[in-house]
Amino acid sequence: MREQGDQPELNVKTVVYATDFSPFSENAGNYARLLALQFRTNLFVVHAFTLSQAALEVEIEGKLKRSKQRIDLQTILNQKALALSSSSLEVVPELLEGDPHQAIPKFADKHGPSLIVLGTQGGGRVARGLIGSVAEKILRSTSWPSFTVGPLAPSVSSSSVALPFKRLLCATDFSPAAIRAIGFALSFVETLGAEIDVLNVVPERAIEHPDRLAGLRSHFYDSLDNFVPARATDFSHPRTFVETGCAHDRILEHVKDRSIDLLVLGIRKTSHLGLEMRTSGAFRVIVDAPCPVLTITG
């Protein structure tokens, strides 16, 4: 994100849609198409894989330049790209060899500034171990913004013509990543003609006395004024909220109560929404949120 005067600008030239060919990835692909159209960027459809032992032996021994595994995956990937293509959007398929959490961020770096789009089914322990952990590892491994479509996010059809975002929520703790997230959120709402809520959740343990909450609210509102450009009030109609309790619960309650269409999280590894553990708070929010989640890692 960069600024011209006091106007935030979304600096993305490539949307990288990472697919594992699952039904959850299908929905993420439809969002990726709409994002690329909305922000007039390139769209790559990527799939990362590891050669099976049999396929590896075939290619090493030179029996075939490309194994059946590679050919079959490329065929499926080409079909996915074609399904997302249109007269106004060229979609490029890219088959990547390697672990997804390494190959996909590396590809995004090569074509940056990028926005990575991925889907996850998350949910139960077994399902999360198979698919959710891949999405989480990608979030950990990239410095680019990531747009994740969880199992509860609304479906968008392949014929949709506009992103269904009318109100965004930016959950912030005023860390550097959270400040960047506010900039990205403002870029989205200005482009889409949407509105924005900004929420700060204060852990109950941080409030030594009930009277302190009023002071924390005042400090939050003053801090927000320093980070949100004055002109942003003209197009985003920002509303600010301070809640106490568990960040996961308060954020999801706000999403439901205020009919939020996109949640924006600024994530730092040392925060209560950090990515330092596999069972990270951020990923649990993504999985449980009834809307897509844009994460900005700092």
Side-chain angles (χ1 to χ4, degrees), residues 105-186:
K106 183 177 180 180
F107 182 87
D109 290 343
K110 180 179 178 181
H111 295 275
S114 299
L115 173 64
I116 298 176
V117 179
L118 59 158
T120 180
Q121 72 179 48
R125 293 181 180 178
V126 175
R128 183 151 177 249
L130 295 174
I131 296 180
S133 62
V134 175
E136 186 175 353
K137 286 179 180 178
I138 292 173
L139 293 183
R140 288 194 205 183
S141 302
T142 183
S143 60
W144 299 114
S146 299
F147 184 100
T148 307
V149 182
L152 302 181
S155 297
V156 292
S157 71
S158 57
S159 60
S160 298
V161 296
L163 289 164
F165 302 149
K166 300 300 181 184
R167 181 176 294 278
L168 282 66
L169 169 63
C170 185
T172 181
D173 59 4
F174 293 110
S175 65
I179 295 170
R180 287 186 63 210
I182 291 176
F184 270 83
L186 289 171

Coordinates of all heavy atoms in Angstrom, one line a residue, residues 105-186:
P105 N 4.3 -18.8 -2.3 CA 4.8 -17.5 -1.9 C 6.0 -17.1 -2.8 O 6.1 -15.9 -3.2 CB 5.3 -17.7 -0.5 CG 4.4 -18.8 0.1 CD 4.2 -19.7 -1.1
K106 N 6.8 -18.1 -3.2 CA 7.9 -17.8 -4.1 C 7.4 -17.2 -5.5 O 8.0 -16.3 -6.0 CB 8.8 -19.0 -4.3 CG 10.0 -18.8 -5.2 CD 10.9 -20.0 -5.2 CE 12.1 -19.8 -6.1 NZ 13.0 -21.0 -6.2
F107 N 6.4 -17.9 -6.0 CA 5.8 -17.4 -7.2 C 5.2 -16.0 -7.1 O 5.4 -15.2 -7.9 CB 4.7 -18.4 -7.7 CG 4.1 -18.1 -9.0 CD1 4.6 -18.5 -10.2 CD2 2.9 -17.3 -9.0 CE1 4.0 -18.2 -11.4 CE2 2.3 -17.0 -10.2 CZ 2.9 -17.4 -11.4
A108 N 4.5 -15.8 -5.9 CA 4.0 -14.5 -5.7 C 5.0 -13.4 -5.6 O 4.9 -12.3 -6.1 CB 3.1 -14.5 -4.4
D109 N 6.2 -13.8 -5.0 CA 7.3 -12.8 -5.0 C 7.8 -12.5 -6.4 O 8.1 -11.3 -6.6 CB 8.5 -13.5 -4.2 CG 8.2 -13.6 -2.7 OD1 7.3 -12.9 -2.2 OD2 8.9 -14.4 -2.0
K110 N 7.9 -13.5 -7.2 CA 8.4 -13.3 -8.6 C 7.5 -12.3 -9.4 O 8.0 -11.6 -10.2 CB 8.5 -14.6 -9.3 CG 9.0 -14.5 -10.7 CD 9.1 -15.9 -11.3 CE 9.6 -15.8 -12.8 NZ 9.6 -17.2 -13.4
H111 N 6.2 -12.4 -9.1 CA 5.2 -11.6 -9.9 C 4.6 -10.4 -9.0 O 3.6 -9.9 -9.4 CB 4.1 -12.5 -10.4 CG 4.6 -13.5 -11.4 ND1 4.8 -13.2 -12.7 CD2 5.0 -14.8 -11.2 CE1 5.2 -14.3 -13.3 NE2 5.4 -15.3 -12.5
G112 N 5.2 -10.1 -7.9 CA 4.7 -9.1 -7.0 C 4.7 -7.7 -7.6 O 5.4 -7.4 -8.6
P113 N 4.0 -6.8 -7.0 CA 3.2 -6.9 -5.8 C 2.0 -7.8 -6.0 O 1.3 -7.6 -7.0 CB 2.9 -5.5 -5.4 CG 3.0 -4.7 -6.6 CD 4.1 -5.4 -7.4
S114 N 1.8 -8.8 -5.2 CA 0.7 -9.8 -5.4 C -0.3 -9.8 -4.3 O -0.1 -9.3 -3.2 CB 1.4 -11.2 -5.5 OG 2.3 -11.3 -6.5
L115 N -1.5 -10.3 -4.7 CA -2.5 -10.7 -3.7 C -2.8 -12.2 -3.9 O -3.1 -12.6 -5.0 CB -3.8 -9.9 -4.0 CG -5.0 -10.3 -3.2 CD1 -4.8 -10.0 -1.7 CD2 -6.3 -9.5 -3.7
I116 N -2.6 -13.0 -2.8 CA -2.8 -14.4 -2.9 C -4.2 -14.7 -2.5 O -4.6 -14.3 -1.4 CB -1.7 -15.1 -2.0 CG1 -0.3 -14.9 -2.5 CG2 -2.0 -16.6 -2.0 CD1 0.8 -15.5 -1.6
V117 N -4.9 -15.5 -3.3 CA -6.2 -16.0 -3.0 C -6.2 -17.5 -2.8 O -5.7 -18.2 -3.7 CB -7.2 -15.5 -4.1 CG1 -8.6 -16.0 -3.8 CG2 -7.2 -14.0 -4.3
L118 N -6.8 -17.9 -1.7 CA -6.9 -19.4 -1.5 C -8.1 -19.7 -0.7 O -8.7 -18.9 0.0 CB -5.6 -19.9 -0.8 CG -5.3 -19.3 0.6 CD1 -4.4 -20.3 1.3 CD2 -4.5 -18.0 0.4
G119 N -8.5 -21.0 -0.8 CA -9.7 -21.5 -0.1 C -9.2 -22.5 0.9 O -8.2 -23.2 0.7
T120 N -10.0 -22.7 2.0 CA -9.7 -23.7 2.9 C -11.0 -24.2 3.5 O -12.0 -23.5 3.7 CB -8.8 -23.2 4.1 OG1 -8.6 -24.3 5.0 CG2 -9.5 -22.1 4.8
Q121 N -11.0 -25.5 3.8 CA -12.2 -26.1 4.5 C -12.1 -26.1 6.0 O -13.1 -26.1 6.7 CB -12.5 -27.5 4.0 CG -11.5 -28.6 4.5 CD -11.9 -30.0 4.0 OE1 -12.1 -30.2 2.8 NE2 -11.9 -30.9 4.9
G122 N -10.8 -26.0 6.5 CA -10.6 -25.8 7.9 C -11.4 -26.8 8.7 O -11.4 -28.0 8.4
G123 N -12.2 -26.3 9.6 CA -13.2 -27.1 10.3 C -12.5 -28.1 11.3 O -11.7 -27.7 12.1
G124 N -12.9 -29.4 11.2 CA -12.5 -30.4 12.2 C -11.0 -30.7 12.2 O -10.3 -30.3 11.2
R125 N -10.6 -31.4 13.2 CA -9.2 -31.7 13.3 C -8.6 -32.5 12.1 O -7.6 -32.3 11.6 CB -8.9 -32.5 14.6 CG -9.1 -31.6 15.8 CD -8.8 -32.4 17.1 NE -9.1 -31.7 18.3 CZ -8.9 -32.1 19.5 NH1 -8.5 -33.4 19.7 NH2 -9.1 -31.4 20.5
V126 N -9.4 -33.5 11.7 CA -9.0 -34.4 10.6 C -8.9 -33.6 9.3 O -7.9 -33.6 8.6 CB -9.9 -35.6 10.4 CG1 -9.5 -36.4 9.2 CG2 -9.8 -36.5 11.6
A127 N -10.0 -32.9 9.0 CA -10.0 -32.1 7.7 C -9.0 -31.0 7.7 O -8.3 -30.8 6.7 CB -11.4 -31.4 7.6
R128 N -8.8 -30.4 8.9 CA -7.8 -29.3 9.0 C -6.4 -29.8 8.8 O -5.5 -29.2 8.2 CB -7.9 -28.6 10.3 CG -7.0 -27.4 10.4 CD -7.5 -26.4 11.3 NE -6.5 -25.3 11.4 CZ -5.8 -25.1 12.5 NH1 -6.0 -25.7 13.6 NH2 -4.9 -24.1 12.5
G129 N -6.2 -31.0 9.2 CA -4.8 -31.6 9.1 C -4.5 -31.9 7.6 O -3.3 -31.8 7.3
L130 N -5.5 -32.1 6.8 CA -5.3 -32.4 5.4 C -5.2 -31.2 4.5 O -4.3 -31.1 3.7 CB -6.4 -33.3 4.9 CG -6.5 -34.7 5.5 CD1 -7.7 -35.4 5.0 CD2 -5.2 -35.5 5.2
I131 N -6.1 -30.2 4.8 CA -6.2 -29.1 3.9 C -5.9 -27.8 4.6 O -5.2 -26.9 4.1 CB -7.5 -29.1 3.2 CG1 -7.7 -30.3 2.3 CG2 -7.7 -27.8 2.3 CD1 -9.0 -30.4 1.6
G132 N -6.5 -27.6 5.8 CA -6.4 -26.3 6.4 C -5.0 -26.0 6.8 O -4.6 -24.8 6.7
S133 N -4.2 -27.0 7.1 CA -2.8 -26.7 7.5 C -2.0 -26.1 6.3 O -1.1 -25.3 6.5 CB -2.1 -27.9 8.0 OG -2.1 -28.9 7.0
V134 N -2.4 -26.5 5.1 CA -1.7 -26.0 3.9 C -1.9 -24.5 3.7 O -1.0 -23.7 3.5 CB -2.1 -26.7 2.6 CG1 -1.5 -26.1 1.4 CG2 -1.7 -28.2 2.7
A135 N -3.2 -24.1 3.9 CA -3.5 -22.7 3.8 C -2.9 -21.9 4.9 O -2.3 -20.8 4.7 CB -5.1 -22.5 3.9
E136 N -2.8 -22.4 6.1 CA -2.2 -21.7 7.2 C -0.7 -21.6 7.0 O -0.1 -20.5 7.3 CB -2.5 -22.5 8.5 CG -2.0 -21.8 9.7 CD -2.4 -22.6 11.0 OE1 -3.1 -23.6 10.9 OE2 -1.9 -22.1 12.1
K137 N -0.1 -22.6 6.4 CA 1.4 -22.5 6.2 C 1.7 -21.4 5.1 O 2.7 -20.7 5.2 CB 1.9 -23.9 5.7 CG 2.0 -24.9 6.8 CD 2.5 -26.2 6.3 CE 2.7 -27.2 7.4 NZ 3.1 -28.6 6.9
I138 N 0.8 -21.3 4.1 CA 1.0 -20.3 3.1 C 0.9 -18.9 3.7 O 1.7 -18.0 3.4 CB 0.0 -20.5 2.0 CG1 0.3 -21.7 1.2 CG2 0.0 -19.2 1.0 CD1 -0.8 -22.1 0.1
L139 N -0.1 -18.7 4.6 CA -0.3 -17.4 5.3 C 1.0 -17.1 6.1 O 1.4 -15.9 6.2 CB -1.5 -17.5 6.2 CG -2.9 -17.6 5.6 CD1 -4.0 -17.5 6.6 CD2 -3.1 -16.5 4.6
R140 N 1.6 -18.1 6.7 CA 2.8 -17.9 7.5 C 4.0 -17.5 6.7 O 4.9 -16.8 7.1 CB 3.1 -19.2 8.3 CG 2.2 -19.5 9.4 CD 2.9 -20.6 10.3 NE 2.0 -21.4 11.0 CZ 2.4 -22.4 11.8 NH1 3.7 -22.6 11.9 NH2 1.6 -23.1 12.5
S141 N 4.0 -18.1 5.4 CA 5.2 -18.0 4.6 C 5.3 -16.8 3.7 O 6.3 -16.6 3.1 CB 5.3 -19.3 3.8 OG 5.3 -20.5 4.6
T142 N 4.2 -16.1 3.5 CA 4.2 -15.0 2.6 C 4.1 -13.6 3.3 O 3.5 -13.5 4.4 CB 3.1 -15.1 1.6 OG1 3.2 -14.0 0.6 CG2 1.7 -15.0 2.3
S143 N 4.7 -12.6 2.7 CA 4.6 -11.3 3.2 C 3.5 -10.5 2.4 O 3.3 -9.3 2.7 CB 6.0 -10.5 3.1 OG 6.4 -10.5 1.7
W144 N 3.0 -11.1 1.4 CA 2.0 -10.5 0.6 C 0.6 -10.6 1.2 O 0.3 -11.5 2.0 CB 1.9 -11.1 -0.8 CG 3.1 -10.9 -1.6 CD1 4.0 -11.9 -2.1 CD2 3.7 -9.7 -2.1 NE1 5.0 -11.4 -2.7 CE2 4.9 -10.0 -2.8 CE3 3.4 -8.4 -2.0 CZ2 5.8 -9.1 -3.3 CZ3 4.2 -7.4 -2.5 CH2 5.4 -7.8 -3.2
P145 N -0.3 -9.7 0.9 CA -1.7 -9.8 1.4 C -2.3 -11.1 0.9 O -2.1 -11.5 -0.2 CB -2.4 -8.6 0.9 CG -1.3 -7.6 0.5 CD -0.2 -8.4 0.2
S146 N -3.1 -11.8 1.8 CA -3.7 -13.0 1.4 C -5.2 -12.9 1.6 O -5.7 -12.5 2.7 CB -3.2 -14.2 2.3 OG -1.8 -14.3 2.0
F147 N -6.0 -13.4 0.6 CA -7.4 -13.3 0.7 C -7.9 -14.8 0.8 O -7.8 -15.6 -0.1 CB -8.0 -12.7 -0.6 CG -9.4 -12.5 -0.7 CD1 -10.0 -11.3 -0.4 CD2 -10.3 -13.5 -1.1 CE1 -11.4 -11.1 -0.5 CE2 -11.6 -13.4 -1.2 CZ -12.2 -12.2 -0.9
T148 N -8.4 -15.2 2.0 CA -8.8 -16.5 2.2 C -10.3 -16.7 2.3 O -10.9 -16.0 3.0 CB -8.1 -17.0 3.5 OG1 -6.7 -16.8 3.5 CG2 -8.3 -18.5 3.7
V149 N -10.8 -17.7 1.6 CA -12.2 -18.0 1.6 C -12.4 -19.3 2.4 O -12.0 -20.4 2.0 CB -12.7 -18.2 0.1 CG1 -14.2 -18.5 0.1 CG2 -12.4 -17.0 -0.7
G150 N -13.0 -19.1 3.6 CA -13.2 -20.2 4.5 C -14.5 -21.0 4.1 O -15.3 -20.6 3.2
P151 N -14.8 -22.0 4.9 CA -16.0 -22.9 4.6 C -17.3 -22.2 4.8 O -18.3 -22.7 4.2 CB -15.8 -24.1 5.5 CG -15.0 -23.5 6.7 CD -14.0 -22.5 6.0
L152 N -17.4 -21.1 5.6 CA -18.6 -20.4 5.8 C -18.8 -19.2 5.0 O -19.9 -18.5 5.1 CB -18.7 -20.1 7.3 CG -18.6 -21.2 8.3 CD1 -18.7 -20.7 9.8 CD2 -19.6 -22.3 8.1
A153 N -17.9 -18.9 4.1 CA -18.0 -17.7 3.3 C -19.0 -17.9 2.2 O -19.2 -19.0 1.7 CB -16.6 -17.4 2.6
P154 N -19.8 -16.9 1.9 CA -20.8 -17.0 0.9 C -20.3 -17.4 -0.5 O -19.1 -17.0 -0.8 CB -21.4 -15.6 0.8 CG -21.1 -14.9 2.1 CD -19.8 -15.5 2.5
S155 N -21.0 -18.2 -1.2 CA -20.6 -18.6 -2.5 C -20.8 -17.5 -3.5 O -21.8 -16.8 -3.5 CB -21.3 -19.9 -3.0 OG -21.0 -21.0 -2.1
V156 N -19.9 -17.3 -4.5 CA -20.2 -16.4 -5.6 C -20.1 -17.3 -6.9 O -19.3 -18.2 -7.0 CB -19.1 -15.3 -5.7 CG1 -19.3 -14.3 -4.5 CG2 -17.7 -15.8 -5.7
S157 N -21.0 -17.0 -7.8 CA -21.0 -17.9 -9.0 C -20.0 -17.4 -10.0 O -19.5 -16.3 -10.0 CB -22.4 -17.8 -9.6 OG -22.7 -16.5 -10.2
S158 N -19.7 -18.3 -11.0 CA -18.8 -18.0 -12.1 C -19.3 -16.9 -13.0 O -18.6 -16.3 -13.8 CB -18.5 -19.2 -12.9 OG -19.7 -19.8 -13.4
S159 N -20.6 -16.6 -12.9 CA -21.2 -15.5 -13.7 C -21.4 -14.2 -13.0 O -21.8 -13.2 -13.6 CB -22.6 -16.0 -14.2 OG -23.5 -16.2 -13.1
S160 N -20.9 -14.1 -11.7 CA -21.0 -12.9 -11.0 C -20.2 -11.8 -11.6 O -19.1 -12.1 -12.2 CB -20.5 -13.1 -9.5 OG -21.4 -14.0 -8.9
V161 N -20.6 -10.6 -11.6 CA -19.9 -9.5 -12.3 C -19.3 -8.5 -11.3 O -18.6 -7.6 -11.7 CB -20.9 -8.7 -13.2 CG1 -21.3 -9.7 -14.3 CG2 -22.1 -8.2 -12.5
A162 N -19.6 -8.6 -10.0 CA -19.1 -7.6 -9.0 C -18.9 -8.3 -7.7 O -19.6 -9.2 -7.3 CB -20.0 -6.4 -8.9
L163 N -17.9 -7.8 -7.0 CA -17.6 -8.3 -5.6 C -18.7 -7.9 -4.7 O -19.2 -6.8 -4.7 CB -16.3 -7.7 -5.1 CG -15.0 -8.2 -5.7 CD1 -13.9 -7.3 -5.4 CD2 -14.7 -9.6 -5.3
P164 N -19.2 -8.9 -3.9 CA -20.4 -8.6 -3.0 C -20.0 -8.0 -1.7 O -20.4 -8.4 -0.6 CB -20.9 -10.0 -2.8 CG -19.7 -10.9 -2.8 CD -18.7 -10.3 -3.8
F165 N -19.2 -6.9 -1.7 CA -18.7 -6.2 -0.5 C -19.4 -4.9 -0.3 O -19.1 -3.9 -1.1 CB -17.2 -6.1 -0.5 CG -16.5 -7.4 -0.7 CD1 -15.2 -7.4 -1.4 CD2 -17.0 -8.6 -0.2 CE1 -14.5 -8.6 -1.5 CE2 -16.3 -9.8 -0.4 CZ -15.1 -9.8 -1.0
K166 N -20.2 -4.8 0.7 CA -20.9 -3.5 1.0 C -20.4 -2.9 2.3 O -20.4 -1.7 2.5 CB -22.4 -3.7 1.1 CG -23.0 -4.2 -0.2 CD -22.8 -3.2 -1.4 CE -23.5 -3.7 -2.7 NZ -23.2 -2.8 -3.8
R167 N -20.0 -3.8 3.2 CA -19.4 -3.3 4.5 C -18.2 -4.2 4.9 O -18.3 -5.4 4.9 CB -20.5 -3.3 5.6 CG -20.0 -2.8 6.9 CD -21.1 -2.7 8.0 NE -22.1 -1.7 7.6 CZ -21.9 -0.4 7.8 NH1 -20.8 0.1 8.4 NH2 -22.9 0.4 7.4
L168 N -17.1 -3.5 5.2 CA -15.9 -4.2 5.7 C -15.7 -3.9 7.1 O -16.1 -2.9 7.7 CB -14.7 -3.7 4.9 CG -14.5 -4.3 3.4 CD1 -15.6 -3.8 2.5 CD2 -13.2 -3.8 2.9
L169 N -15.0 -4.9 7.8 CA -14.6 -4.7 9.1 C -13.1 -4.9 9.2 O -12.5 -5.9 8.7 CB -15.2 -5.8 10.1 CG -14.6 -5.8 11.5 CD1 -14.8 -4.5 12.2 CD2 -15.2 -7.0 12.2
C170 N -12.4 -3.9 9.8 CA -11.0 -4.0 10.0 C -10.7 -4.1 11.5 O -11.1 -3.2 12.3 CB -10.3 -2.7 9.5 SG -8.5 -2.8 9.6
A171 N -10.2 -5.2 11.9 CA -9.9 -5.5 13.3 C -8.5 -5.0 13.6 O -7.6 -5.5 12.9 CB -10.1 -6.9 13.7
T172 N -8.3 -4.1 14.5 CA -6.9 -3.5 14.7 C -6.5 -3.5 16.1 O -7.3 -3.4 17.0 CB -6.9 -2.1 14.1 OG1 -5.6 -1.6 14.2 CG2 -7.9 -1.2 14.8
D173 N -5.2 -3.6 16.3 CA -4.6 -3.4 17.6 C -3.5 -2.3 17.5 O -2.7 -2.1 18.4 CB -4.0 -4.7 18.2 CG -2.9 -5.3 17.2 OD1 -2.6 -4.6 16.2 OD2 -2.4 -6.4 17.5
F174 N -3.4 -1.6 16.3 CA -2.5 -0.5 16.1 C -1.0 -1.0 16.0 O -0.1 -0.2 16.1 CB -2.6 0.6 17.1 CG -3.9 1.3 16.9 CD1 -4.9 1.2 17.9 CD2 -4.2 2.1 15.8 CE1 -6.1 1.8 17.8 CE2 -5.5 2.7 15.7 CZ -6.4 2.6 16.7
S175 N -0.8 -2.2 15.7 CA 0.5 -2.7 15.4 C 0.8 -2.2 13.9 O -0.1 -1.8 13.2 CB 0.5 -4.3 15.4 OG -0.3 -4.8 14.4
P176 N 2.1 -2.3 13.5 CA 2.4 -1.9 12.1 C 1.6 -2.6 11.1 O 1.1 -2.1 10.1 CB 3.9 -2.2 12.0 CG 4.4 -2.0 13.4 CD 3.3 -2.6 14.3
A177 N 1.4 -3.9 11.3 CA 0.6 -4.7 10.4 C -0.9 -4.2 10.4 O -1.5 -4.2 9.3 CB 0.6 -6.2 10.7
A178 N -1.4 -3.9 11.5 CA -2.8 -3.5 11.6 C -3.0 -2.1 10.9 O -4.0 -1.8 10.3 CB -3.2 -3.4 13.1
I179 N -2.0 -1.3 11.0 CA -2.0 0.0 10.4 C -2.0 -0.1 8.8 O -2.8 0.5 8.1 CB -0.9 0.9 10.8 CG1 -1.0 1.3 12.3 CG2 -0.8 2.2 10.0 CD1 0.2 1.9 12.9
R180 N -1.2 -1.1 8.4 CA -1.2 -1.4 6.9 C -2.6 -1.9 6.5 O -3.1 -1.6 5.4 CB -0.1 -2.4 6.6 CG 1.3 -1.9 6.6 CD 2.2 -3.0 6.2 NE 2.0 -3.4 4.8 CZ 2.2 -4.6 4.3 NH1 2.6 -5.6 5.1 NH2 2.0 -4.8 3.0
A181 N -3.2 -2.7 7.4 CA -4.5 -3.3 7.1 C -5.5 -2.3 6.9 O -6.4 -2.4 6.1 CB -4.9 -4.3 8.2
I182 N -5.5 -1.2 7.7 CA -6.4 -0.1 7.6 C -6.3 0.5 6.2 O -7.3 0.9 5.6 CB -6.2 0.9 8.7 CG1 -6.6 0.3 10.1 CG2 -7.0 2.2 8.4 CD1 -6.4 1.3 11.2
G183 N -5.0 0.7 5.8 CA -4.8 1.3 4.4 C -5.4 0.4 3.3 O -6.0 0.9 2.4
F184 N -5.2 -0.9 3.4 CA -5.8 -1.8 2.4 C -7.3 -1.8 2.5 O -8.0 -1.8 1.5 CB -5.2 -3.2 2.6 CG -4.0 -3.5 1.9 CD1 -2.8 -3.1 2.4 CD2 -4.0 -4.1 0.6 CE1 -1.6 -3.4 1.7 CE2 -2.9 -4.4 -0.1 CZ -1.6 -4.0 0.5
A185 N -7.8 -1.8 3.7 CA -9.3 -1.8 3.8 C -9.9 -0.5 3.2 O -10.9 -0.5 2.5 CB -9.6 -1.9 5.3
L186 N -9.2 0.6 3.5 CA -9.7 1.9 2.9 C -9.6 1.9 1.4 O -10.5 2.4 0.7 CB -8.9 3.1 3.4 CG -9.2 3.4 4.9 CD1 -8.2 4.5 5.4 CD2 -10.6 3.9 5.1

